[in-house]
Amino acid sequence: MSATPNKQTGYEPTPRGVPLLDLNRQHAPLKDQIAASLGRVWDTGAFVLGPEVKQLEANVAQCCQTRHAIGCASGSDALLLALMALEIGPGDEVILPSFTFFATAGAVTRLGARPVFADIDPATFNLAPEAVQRLVRPATKAILPVHLFGLCADMDALGRIARSAGIPLVEDCAQAIGAEFDGHRAGSMGAAGCLSFYPTKNLGGAGDGGMLVTNDDGMAQRLRLLRVHGMEPRYYHKVVGINSRLDSFQAAVLNVKFPCLDDWTRRREANARRYDALFVAAGLDRILVLPRHSTRCRHVWNQYVVRVPNAQRDRMRAFLAESKIGTEVYYPLGLHSQECFRELGYAPGDLPETERAAQEVLALPIFPELTADEQAFVVDRMAAFFRSAPRGHALSGPKFLTHPLARKS
């Protein structure tokens, strides 16, 4: 994409469009390595929990700074297995965010327990500790924070709440491999951490795959047992588990990609900084609310999510689509508002920050191979949206300057 300088963004890229994610760019240089690795698995015939899985478990345990890593079939199963290992069941409650992917609450519900939705910190989109504190009661058996978009939740405050109540923390790290809070890696701070290798993740496979990480030897033993129908030794079942084994083909793909993870994360970090600078240069930091950076955290930027206030989000998304710029809304509806959880009795206004975030968030392209010119094009088109907006919603319009989260970068 060729570019010439532009006053606002520094670039004037040819408008060929920008995808939200382009896995072809990531996979092309690794194609031969991946094919060779898959061929080796085929030749050995060790298709389930084979040597490639053991190697990936060792790699991920080292990355997450944990003693153990246990491969499973998906990130959703990782959540389910963690709760099973903690013997969560009917009559129990698990506190978790409503502003997250469905699997977080789905795992709780599948075990007959009750998801108790807490509101989020509007600046980070993660669980608000003060909201969690108000919800702890005798039926509470676990707290399930989600490290959303690659930013760790406040594990210091949440850890104090959990310890005071004598209940475990289970970390949903599906979007946060390699993220840190106060120098501790995501997944290493609770009873277990749950990872996803869905293709869109920072370390993504060629299909579904997941992993659990833990520093607890007993927890690791239970997880390994539960993922194979509770079977040990073969055909002898101590408990009722599930069939959730990571296949060797997925592990082979992930082992080829694993050495690239640190570099890909650094590129995501650089892309986030570039977006920040471009938005400031364009004056859009006075209109949009940019993602939070924290000195306590290493943000791995699975998503770069801005807030578009004043009910302009969907119009902006449609405007960007006209220029073939990919965006996504994570998430358009809090889980407490989903039809399948209607019987839990939540009403509009019960989780105001979750509901407001669902109306404002917009994820922009942030993948490692994204070019500076592409980012400049995205920001240029967003500025053009506000320049073309109705009077009172223009780039200099005062209505945008009063957003509760507006801040100078």
Side-chain angles (χ1 to χ4, degrees):
M1 187 176 287
S2 62
T4 56
N6 171 279
K7 282 185 179 181
Q8 285 193 317
T9 64
Y11 301 92
E12 186 65 36
T14 304
R16 296 193 317 221
V18 183
L20 179 65
L21 177 66
D22 188 347
L23 288 175
N24 288 330
R25 298 190 206 181
Q26 183 178 100
H27 293 162
L30 301 175
K31 183 177 179 179
D32 291 345
Q33 289 177 259
I34 290 173
S37 186
L38 292 173
R40 287 192 294 272
V41 172
W42 183 261
D43 290 341
T44 66
F47 298 145
V48 178
L49 296 182
E52 289 284 352
V53 173
K54 290 181 172 60
Q55 181 60 58
L56 181 65
E57 290 175 336
N59 289 339
V60 171
Q62 182 180 31
C63 174
C64 294
Q65 300 173 350
T66 57
R67 289 169 54 83
H68 305 278
I70 301 96
C72 61
S74 68
S76 299
D77 275 6
L79 291 162
L80 183 67
L81 285 162
L83 297 176
M84 290 175 67
L86 294 171
E87 299 184 341
I88 303 293
D92 296 335
E93 295 182 351
V94 177
I95 299 173
L96 68 157
S98 173
F99 196 66
T100 182
F101 181 61
F102 183 83
T104 316
V108 176
T109 306
R110 285 178 64 187
L111 293 175
R114 178 187 177 91
V116 176
F117 295 115
D119 214 351
I120 57 171
D121 177 335
T124 66
F125 303 112
N126 286 324
L127 271 180
E130 62 274 15
V132 172
Q133 181 69 75
R134 291 192 294 269
L135 295 170
V136 175
R137 58 186 191 176
T140 306
K141 301 304 180 188
I143 301 172
L144 212 174
V146 179
H147 303 318
L148 201 65
F149 305 144
L151 177 67
C152 284
D154 186 344
M155 294 299 290
D156 185 21
L158 293 172
R160 287 197 299 270
I161 294 169
R163 287 190 297 272
S164 177
I167 56 178
L169 285 170
V170 174
E171 300 175 67
D172 185 336
C173 312
Q175 301 178 12
I177 188 170
E180 296 179 5
F181 182 86
D182 283 347
H184 301 287
R185 285 288 170 97
S188 70
M189 295 172 279
C194 306
L195 303 175
S196 170
F197 300 127
Y198 189 74
T200 60
K201 300 300 189 282
N202 289 24
L203 180 63
D208 280 315
M211 193 162 290
L212 297 114
V213 292
T214 183
N215 283 308
D216 184 317
D217 295 348
M219 183 72 165
Q221 185 176 3
R222 290 193 295 277
L223 292 169
R224 291 192 179 98
L225 185 64
L226 288 167
R227 71 173 173 177
V228 291
H229 291 295
M231 181 173 61
E232 187 183 43
R234 192 170 179 84
Y235 302 126
Y236 289 83
H237 299 263
K238 298 180 179 181
V239 294
V240 177
I242 62 174
N243 177 25
S244 184
R245 299 169 295 191
L246 182 63
D247 74 72
S248 297
F249 285 117
Q250 290 299 333
V253 171
L254 291 161
N255 281 327
V256 171
K257 297 177 78 173
F258 182 81
C260 304
L261 179 60
D262 281 344
D263 179 59
W264 290 339
T265 300
R266 285 191 291 269
R267 291 190 196 181
R268 288 176 180 271
E269 291 169 333
N271 289 344
R273 291 192 296 270
R274 185 178 296 113
Y275 267 137
D276 290 345
L278 289 168
F279 281 127
V280 170
L284 294 180
D285 60 318
R286 296 181 291 113
I287 299 175
L288 305 168
V289 179
L290 306 184
R292 170 68 62 89
H293 297 257
S294 171
T295 56
R296 300 187 70 178
C297 295
R298 183 199 188 197
H299 198 322
V300 296
W301 301 102
N302 180 248
Q303 302 294 341
Y304 186 95
V305 176
V306 299
R307 285 177 178 262
V308 186
N310 291 10
Q312 297 290 296
R313 192 266 312 280
D314 293 340
R315 288 186 60 246
M316 171 176 276
R317 191 178 184 204
F319 182 89
L320 295 176
E322 292 175 1
S323 296
K324 298 181 181 179
I325 294 173
T327 60
E328 190 52 88
V329 175
Y330 303 112
Y331 297 93
L333 195 65
L335 296 182
H336 72 288
S337 300
Q338 295 285 354
E339 182 179 353
C340 62
F341 291 129
R342 186 176 297 164
E343 72 278 4
L344 296 177
Y346 289 91
D350 283 350
L351 278 69
E353 295 299 345
T354 294
E355 291 163 21
R356 185 154 66 89
Q359 295 170 359
E360 295 181 348
V361 292
L362 187 67
L364 306 177
I366 187 72
F367 59 94
E369 299 79 18
L370 188 69
T371 69
D373 284 358
E374 286 174 320
Q375 288 187 266
F377 182 52
V378 171
V379 175
D380 179 77
R381 291 291 82 205
M382 294 175 77
F385 169 80
F386 289 112
R387 287 196 298 270
S388 65
R391 185 175 178 82
H393 295 277
L395 188 59
S396 59
K399 288 187 178 182
F400 285 110
L401 305 183
T402 58
H403 191 283
L405 295 178
R407 62 177 177 85
K408 298 275 187 180
S409 295

